[in-house]
């Protein structure tokens, strides 16, 4: 894996891109406003970053991060992501996204809806429950007692291994919450959401979700 595509370039997307470049990856950034609006971000990241459309990022990425406002998930291109591991960082904020009764009433979750939209991709929920700045600032080497853990969830074991390895490289331990449906255990307002915990304590917070 050499290239990470990012569909969306908000705070979380920029932080993941910064970490990716720092760890030797190329990144292709995209947003809803067009690649010409990403010049400053690309310049700050250096020669291993370039801007493109969402389709460009999806096609170029060996691994692709979807980091858009949840209400826009259906705009994510489908065909270029076929067979690929897709990290879903999205959160449902009804104040921004409007009310989604199926989520409100527990029949589905944001990541499950993205997975339905991307039926040939391998969706792994990650990076949704950490502040964007902490993706860079809170990273610590493996074995550090204060190292923070991040939760992941997904239905494909190999895809979760890929994402878990990336998170470890970025400076965090990994707690596997189980299949994608269990990702709701670290959604907004759950004990694990935003929790600054080590692996053992994060497992307890996930279980309480």
């Amino acid at each position: 894996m050499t290239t990470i595509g990012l569909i969306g370039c908000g705070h979380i997307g920029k932080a993941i891109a910064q970490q990716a470049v720092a760890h030797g990856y190329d990144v292709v950034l995209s947003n809803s406003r067009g690649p010409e609006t990403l010049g400053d971000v690309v310049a700050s990241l250096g020669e291993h970053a370039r801007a493109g459309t969402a389709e460009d990022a999806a096609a170029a990425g060996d691994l692709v991060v979807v980091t858009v406002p949840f209400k826009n998930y259906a705009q994510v291109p489908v065909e270029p992501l076929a067979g690929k591991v897709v990290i879903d960082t999205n959160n449902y904020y009804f104040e921004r996204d409007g009310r989604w009764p199926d989520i409100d009433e527990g029949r589905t979750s944001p990541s499950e809806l993205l997975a339905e939209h991307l039926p040939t991709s391998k969706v792994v929920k990650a990076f949704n429950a950490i502040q964007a700045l902490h993706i860079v600032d809170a990273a610590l080497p493996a074995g550090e007692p204060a190292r923070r853990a991040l939760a992941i969830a997904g239905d494909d074991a190999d895809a979760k291994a890929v994402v878990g390895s990336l998170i470890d490289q970025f400076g965090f331990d990994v707690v596997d919450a189980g299949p994608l449906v269990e990702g709701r255990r670290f959604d907004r307002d759950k004990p694990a959401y935003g929790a600054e915990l080590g692996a053992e304590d994060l497992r307890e917070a996930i279980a309480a979700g």
Side-chain angles (χ1 to χ4, degrees), residues 43-70:
S44 72
L45 292 169
E47 63 182 358
H48 290 285
R50 66 179 176 89
T53 64
E55 288 77 10
D56 293 333
D62 301 303
L63 169 71
V64 178
V65 181
V66 172
T67 181
V68 299
F70 165 70

Side-chain angles (χ1 to χ4, degrees), residues 73-180:
Y73 81 89
Q75 298 174 20
V76 174
V78 177
E79 291 184 5
L81 294 174
K84 295 188 177 185
V85 177
V86 174
I87 295 177
D88 174 31
T89 79
N90 299 338
N91 285 303
Y92 165 54
Y93 298 117
F94 65 83
E95 301 91 341
R96 176 195 65 194
D97 301 318
R99 286 290 187 180
W100 294 66
D102 284 346
I103 297 177
D104 292 338
E105 296 167 19
R107 290 187 290 273
T108 191
S109 65
S111 292
E112 290 172 276
L113 287 172
L114 179 65
E116 289 177 12
H117 176 68
L118 301 174
T120 57
S121 302
K122 302 166 186 177
V123 175
V124 178
K125 184 184 187 76
F127 293 111
N128 71 295
I130 180 173
Q131 292 184 40
L133 287 174
H134 291 179
I135 293 171
V136 176
D137 295 344
L140 289 172
E144 286 284 344
R147 199 183 203 215
R148 183 172 168 179
L150 301 183
I152 66 171
D155 295 333
D156 186 283
D158 291 338
K160 286 195 286 188
V162 168
V163 176
S165 176
L166 184 73
I167 291 172
D168 179 61
Q169 289 177 53
F170 282 8
F172 301 89
D173 289 338
V174 179
V175 173
D176 185 350
L180 197 61

